[in-house]
């Protein structure tokens, strides 16, 4: 039977309390003479237990110099973090050195290297479930006779750990291990189990994995075949019906956007500038963990590190996890060769199906410890003050605000015509549509990056659906169904515009497929959906998710109406006489003018105003969405979980860095792109601008 837990407290706090006797913590010698020591000095039975200070140990051993220690102590005092975390974040100490010092402080030793290729050791480690290993930062390391050595990276939590250890471990003793070594060992022992759990974190009734029965795909296939048969048997009637339906869909979508525009104008947030928010104190800042999924992107590691290193947030309160598939050797090799700062680390996801971004993030979520979880894409260049803005807003917002969505913009809109059109589309979506939707109280379909969540809320809704190819939009629906709110935060992340037609169609087809699957999953039980969302958000969800898809389907039918003013026959003329055709023409002209006006208004930011002259050409950009719809419908039937990966880093290097600096100058100072180019040109150069 193991001795009762010992509560270790500072001597200064116990001097004023009545004398008490503390039980002796008996430590067993190491099992192997050649192994590193695993037990330190025995605790003395005395009136109180006094631990030496970590700073004293580090200076006595010469591990940390006085200057670095003073700097770390200042950071510890200002941030409210632990001394070890401050030293690690600043690079003033190595993880192995910190583990040895903590072992000495707590009267333990170091656990030594993990057992490799040892079936018995793996079986021993599995006696402690993975969720307990991660929660208590500990794992059974090896066994000697009837005694089990428990490796821990959190010596202050030994009391809580001892209460959950299974009796099958017998007598236990403890030793220190660096956190990254502990996580590697947990991944080696429990990685497959954690990966399987990452595939089904979302309840099945709200997950796309139920599509595996192919019933929904079969229904869609039958519907498509029926439409094709109707067009073949009665083409005139079919075109007339589709024309009227298309007109109704387009009208609803334009009016929806107009309503969002009015809502955004009625209570507009401050302009998208980077004025530093008034944060209370750094000591009140939470720890933020950023997930950055990577896949087949070996050339972007250096650029990504440089861009994230510009974030103005205390490094002791920040961790960035670069999430990569274990089978993605090119990316892993590139990250191994890169020089990553101490606050960045790589998390390798065991192979499994589906091999998607949400599955990888679900797995990585178990290995990060932030109170706020953020998501960036590999090509992102976030505003330097973005994390401080996130922390400030979460501190002021009610607990129902579980998610903050930042705004996305493109740093290469001058690359070609497609990049310009994509930038115009994003400007209207993130600066007009999403803020308006949020203010109307509707379900906010999240973007895939610059997302920040309260960890407790994210875990309560089941994190991401591993089978949904638009996991972000689906997560926005589940947050709304669970009673949470999403706000649009006025801070900008710069991305690389997808400027190649084929790549654009692939990316857009994935988005459309995900929207359709998300709509289908959440409308399987419409009565429950109505109860969860209420009438307004119920209908709003249908308009947003299904309306966007139907709009792309309806556009080619409406374009056929151009035949009428050209004097060519059109089936709709059999139903409509002259005045009705005139009214139809006026309605279409009015809708087109309103849509163009809304897109122009979406480019209200100074650095977007030069794009307004390209708005009329968006009519040539829209047909690509119709091609994407066709591809998406085919994939829903044949490959519902296939993920068309968007290639990043096509427009990188010095030119991209210069463009990012110019756009950031425009955002910070509220000026247009030419003025920002002149402003930033002297410091950063104007290559490719």
């Amino acid at each position: 039977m193991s001795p009762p837990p010992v509560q270790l407290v500072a001597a200064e706090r116990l001097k004023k309390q009545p004398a008490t006797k503390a039980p002796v913590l008996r430590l067993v010698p190491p099992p192997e003479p050649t192994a590193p020591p695993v037990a330190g000095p025995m605790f003395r039975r005395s009136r109180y237990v006094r631990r030496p200070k970590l700073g004293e140990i580090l200076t006595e051993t010469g591990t940390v110099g006085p200057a670095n220690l003073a700097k770390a102590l200042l950071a510890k005092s200002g941030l409210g973090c632990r001394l070890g975390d401050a030293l690690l974040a600043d690079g003033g100490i190595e993880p192995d050195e910190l583990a040895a010092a903590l072992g000495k402080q707590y009267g333990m030793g170091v656990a030594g290297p993990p057992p490799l290729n040892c079936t018995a050791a793996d079986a021993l480690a599995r006696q402690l479930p993975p969720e307990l290993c991660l929660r208590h930062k500990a794992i059974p390391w090896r066994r000697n006779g009837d005694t089990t050595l428990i490796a821990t990276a959190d010596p202050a939590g030994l009391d809580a750990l001892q209460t959950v250890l299974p009796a099958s471990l017998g007598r236990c003793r403890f030793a220190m291990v660096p956190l990254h070594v502990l996580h590697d060992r947990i991944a080696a022992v429990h990685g497959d189990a954690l990966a399987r759990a990452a595939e089904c974190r979302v309840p099945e009734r709200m997950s796309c994995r139920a599509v595996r029965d192919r019933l929904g795909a079969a229904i869609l296939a039958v519907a498509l075949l029926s439409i094709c048969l109707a067009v073949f048997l009665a083409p005139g009637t079919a075109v007339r019906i589709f024309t009227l339906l298309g007109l109704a869909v387009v009208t609803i979508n334009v009016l929806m956007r107009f309503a969002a525009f009015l809502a955004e104008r009625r209570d507009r947030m401050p302009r998208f500038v980077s004025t530093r928010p008034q944060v209370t104190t750094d000591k009140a800042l939470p720890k933020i963990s950023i997930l950055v999924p990577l896949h087949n992107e070996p050339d972007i590691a250096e650029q990504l590190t440089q861009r994230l290193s510009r974030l103005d947030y205390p490094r002791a309160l920040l961790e960035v996890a670069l999430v990569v598939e274990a089978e993605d050797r090119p990316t892993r090799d590139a990250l191994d060769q890169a020089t990553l700062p101490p606050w960045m680390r790589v998390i390798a996801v065991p192979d499994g199906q589906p091999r998607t971004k949400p599955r990888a993030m679900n797995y990585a979520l178990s290995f990060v410890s932030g109170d706020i979880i953020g998501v960036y894409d590999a090509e992102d260049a976030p505003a330097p003050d973005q994390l401080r803005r996130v922390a400030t807003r979460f501190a002021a917002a009610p607990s129902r605000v579980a998610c903050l969505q930042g705004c996305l913009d493109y740093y290469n809109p001058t690359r070609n015509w497609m990049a310009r059109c994509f930038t115009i589309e994003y400007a209207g979506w993130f600066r007009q549509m999403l803020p308006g939707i949020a203010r109307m109280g509707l379900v906010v379909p999240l973007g895939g990056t610059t997302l920040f969540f309260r960890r407790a809320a994210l875990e309560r809704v089941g994190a991401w659906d591993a089978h949904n190819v638009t996991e972000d939009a689906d997560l926005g629906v589940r947050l709304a169904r669970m009673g949470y709110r999403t706000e649009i935060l006025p801070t900008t992340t710069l991305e690389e515009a997808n400027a190649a037609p084929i790549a654009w169609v692939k990316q857009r087809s994935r988005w459309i497929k995900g929207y359709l699957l998300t709509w289908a999953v959440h409308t399987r039980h419409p009565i429950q959906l109505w109860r969860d969302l209420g009438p307004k958000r119920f209908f709003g969800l249908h308009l947003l998710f299904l309306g966007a898809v139907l709009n792309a389907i309806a556009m080619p039918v409406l374009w056929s109406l151009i035949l009428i003013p050209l004097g060519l026959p059109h089936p709709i003329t059999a139903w409509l006489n002259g005045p009705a055709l005139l009214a139809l023409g006026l309605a279409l002209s009015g809708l087109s003018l309103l849509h163009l006006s809304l897109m122009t208004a979406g480019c209200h930011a100074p650095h977007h105003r030069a794009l307004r002259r390209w708005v009329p050409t968006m009519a040539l950009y829209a047909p690509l969405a119709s091609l994407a719809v066709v591809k998406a419908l085919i994939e829903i039937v044949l490959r519902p979980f296939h993920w068309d990966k968007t290639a990043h880093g096509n427009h990188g290097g010095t030119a991209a860095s210069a463009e990012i600096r110019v756009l950031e100058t425009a955002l910070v100072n509220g000026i247009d792109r030419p003025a920002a180019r002149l402003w930033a040109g002297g410091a950063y150069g104007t290559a490719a601008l």
Side-chain angles (χ1 to χ4, degrees):
M1 183 174 180
S2 59
V6 179
Q7 180 67 38
L8 302 179
V9 294
E12 290 76 7
R13 294 181 56 187
L14 290 181
K15 287 180 179 179
K16 300 179 181 180
Q17 299 180 3
T20 57
K21 290 187 178 182
V24 177
L25 178 62
R26 301 187 180 279
L27 302 175
V28 178
E32 302 176 7
T34 58
V38 294
M42 303 284 279
F43 288 117
R44 291 182 295 121
R45 184 185 299 273
S46 62
R47 306 178 98 187
Y48 55 82
V49 178
R50 182 188 184 279
R51 289 198 311 268
K53 294 182 178 180
L54 180 61
E56 295 174 354
I57 296 173
L58 294 173
T59 53
E60 288 175 0
T61 58
T63 305
V64 176
N68 288 338
L69 180 61
K71 182 180 178 181
L73 288 171
L74 185 63
K76 172 181 178 296
S77 175
L79 300 175
C81 65
R82 297 180 298 185
L83 176 61
D85 293 336
L87 286 167
L88 286 174
D90 193 44
I93 192 174
E94 294 297 324
D96 294 342
E97 296 173 335
L98 177 61
L102 287 172
K104 185 174 182 180
Q105 182 186 22
Y106 281 85
M108 299 185 291
V110 294
L116 300 176
N117 300 322
C118 182
T119 304
D122 292 348
L124 175 68
R126 292 191 183 96
Q127 293 188 37
L128 190 64
E131 59 273 14
L132 294 181
C133 292
L134 292 166
R135 183 189 310 158
H136 295 279
K137 299 179 182 178
I139 191 171
W141 206 250
R142 61 170 64 91
R143 192 169 181 84
N144 181 35
D146 63 345
T147 302
T148 301
L149 175 66
I150 307 293
T152 178
D154 182 21
L158 288 184
D159 289 339
L161 172 62
Q162 291 184 77
T163 63
V164 300
L165 291 177
S168 59
L169 293 177
R171 187 185 182 197
C172 297
R173 58 193 179 93
F174 305 91
M176 283 298 306
V177 67
L179 182 60
H180 73 279
V181 176
L182 175 72
H183 280 171
D184 289 344
R185 180 60 179 158
I186 294 175
V189 174
H190 296 294
D192 290 338
L194 291 171
R196 299 295 84 76
E199 297 168 6
C200 53
R201 291 192 67 150
V202 176
E204 187 170 358
R205 64 185 179 88
M206 290 189 182
S207 171
C208 283
R209 65 180 180 273
V211 179
R212 280 185 286 192
D213 58 12
R214 297 288 182 173
L215 177 60
I219 293 174
L220 178 60
V222 171
L224 293 176
L225 289 175
S226 300
I227 292 173
C228 294
L229 182 62
V231 173
F232 177 76
L233 296 177
T237 303
V239 171
R240 296 183 194 110
I241 295 175
F242 293 155
T243 301
L244 294 179
L245 290 177
L247 181 61
V249 168
V250 171
T251 301
I252 292 173
N253 276 281
V254 174
L255 292 180
M256 179 74 173
R257 181 159 185 169
F258 182 60
F261 166 74
L262 293 179
E264 191 268 342
R265 293 286 297 184
R266 185 170 57 249
D267 186 24
R268 174 169 285 183
M269 285 185 178
R271 292 284 183 174
F272 289 78
V273 297
S274 282
T275 303
R276 179 64 58 82
Q278 295 298 320
V279 183
T280 52
T281 62
D282 282 358
K283 198 167 187 176
L285 291 174
K287 184 172 184 179
I288 298 181
S289 298
I290 303 295
L291 305 181
V292 185
L294 302 170
H295 186 62
N296 290 334
E297 293 168 297
D299 300 328
I300 207 168
E302 182 178 354
Q303 302 172 36
L304 175 64
T305 302
Q306 293 175 355
R307 292 170 185 174
L308 296 185
S309 295
R310 297 170 54 244
L311 288 169
D312 176 22
Y313 203 77
R315 297 300 185 247
L317 300 176
L318 174 65
E319 64 174 338
V320 175
L322 307 180
V323 187
V324 60
E325 296 285 345
E327 303 300 316
D328 185 5
R329 292 309 316 178
T331 305
R332 292 188 63 185
D333 292 342
L335 293 175
D336 291 340
Q337 296 173 7
T339 302
L340 300 179
W343 44 274
M344 294 181 70
R345 59 194 174 98
V346 178
I347 296 180
V349 183
D351 195 24
Q353 292 298 327
R355 193 180 292 175
T356 58
K357 170 184 173 182
R359 172 182 172 272
M361 291 193 296
N362 280 342
Y363 179 86
L365 182 62
S366 301
F367 291 90
V368 297
S369 57
D371 302 309
I372 295 175
I373 305 297
V375 179
Y376 285 137
D377 277 344
E379 81 278 18
D380 285 354
D385 67 343
Q386 190 168 97
L387 298 187
R388 287 186 177 271
R389 285 178 168 271
V390 169
T392 301
R393 180 55 194 152
F394 269 132
S399 58
R400 287 183 58 236
V401 177
C403 175
L404 297 178
Q405 167 73 72
C407 299
L408 304 182
D409 205 344
Y410 290 131
Y411 60 74
N412 61 329
T414 58
R415 183 179 181 185
N416 57 23
W417 170 75
M418 278 203 66
R420 291 183 178 92
C421 291
F422 211 166
T423 305
I424 293 171
E425 184 182 13
Y426 255 41
W429 182 252
F430 283 99
R431 286 173 163 75
Q432 185 182 88
M433 191 69 177
L434 284 186
I437 289 172
R439 291 190 181 91
M440 287 191 292
L442 301 181
V443 176
V444 178
L446 303 177
T449 179
T450 316
L451 288 169
F452 302 92
F453 305 92
R454 297 188 196 268
R455 185 191 186 104
L458 180 62
E459 292 182 337
R460 181 169 178 250
V461 301
W464 294 274
D465 183 3
H467 294 78
N468 197 316
V469 294
T470 51
E471 78 295 335
D472 38 21
D474 168 75
L475 181 53
V477 178
R478 282 187 286 113
L479 285 170
R481 294 188 67 172
M482 297 289 284
Y484 293 111
R485 282 175 44 203
T486 296
E487 289 188 357
I488 310 301
L489 192 68
T491 181
T492 302
T493 294
L494 299 177
E495 287 192 322
E496 178 187 359
N498 199 337
I502 295 178
W504 189 96
V505 169
K506 288 182 177 181
Q507 183 187 61
R508 188 57 55 96
S509 69
R510 173 168 60 83
W511 294 354
I512 292 172
K513 180 171 66 173
Y515 266 44
L516 278 174
L517 289 174
T518 298
W519 173 82
V521 165
H522 290 281
T523 55
R524 284 183 298 185
H525 305 287
I527 296 178
Q528 185 61 47
L529 182 65
W530 178 286
R531 292 172 179 169
D532 292 342
L533 296 180
K536 182 175 70 172
R537 293 192 296 175
F538 177 85
F539 289 112
L541 182 143
H542 290 282
L543 292 177
L544 285 171
F545 284 83
L546 194 58
V549 179
L550 293 178
N551 189 77
I553 296 175
M555 290 307 297
V557 180
L558 295 182
W559 293 329
S560 68
L561 294 175
I562 197 68
L563 297 174
I564 298 176
L566 295 177
L568 299 175
H570 190 283
I572 198 68
T573 56
W575 282 4
L576 303 177
N577 54 21
L581 286 175
L582 179 60
L584 177 61
L586 292 176
L588 286 175
S589 299
L591 287 174
S592 299
L593 182 61
L594 178 58
H595 191 216
L596 291 176
S597 300
L598 291 173
M599 284 192 289
T600 302
C603 297
H604 61 76
H607 66 287
H608 284 151
R609 290 171 188 165
L611 296 172
R612 288 176 172 174
R613 64 178 180 269
W614 296 93
V615 168
T617 68
M618 293 291 288
L620 303 175
Y621 173 80
L624 292 173
S626 299
L627 295 177
V629 166
V630 175
K631 182 177 181 295
L633 292 175
I634 294 174
E635 285 193 351
I636 286 179
V637 176
L638 301 179
R639 299 191 298 176
F641 307 134
H642 173 66
W643 187 287
D644 258 328
K645 180 71 174 65
T646 303
H648 297 143
N650 298 321
H651 188 69
T654 305
S657 299
E659 291 184 28
I660 291 171
R661 296 292 190 180
V662 168
L663 272 235
E664 286 182 344
T665 302
L667 286 165
V668 170
N669 298 283
I671 58 179
D672 60 14
R673 189 182 180 90
R677 183 185 298 116
L678 293 175
W679 189 320
Y684 306 114
T686 57
L689 300 178

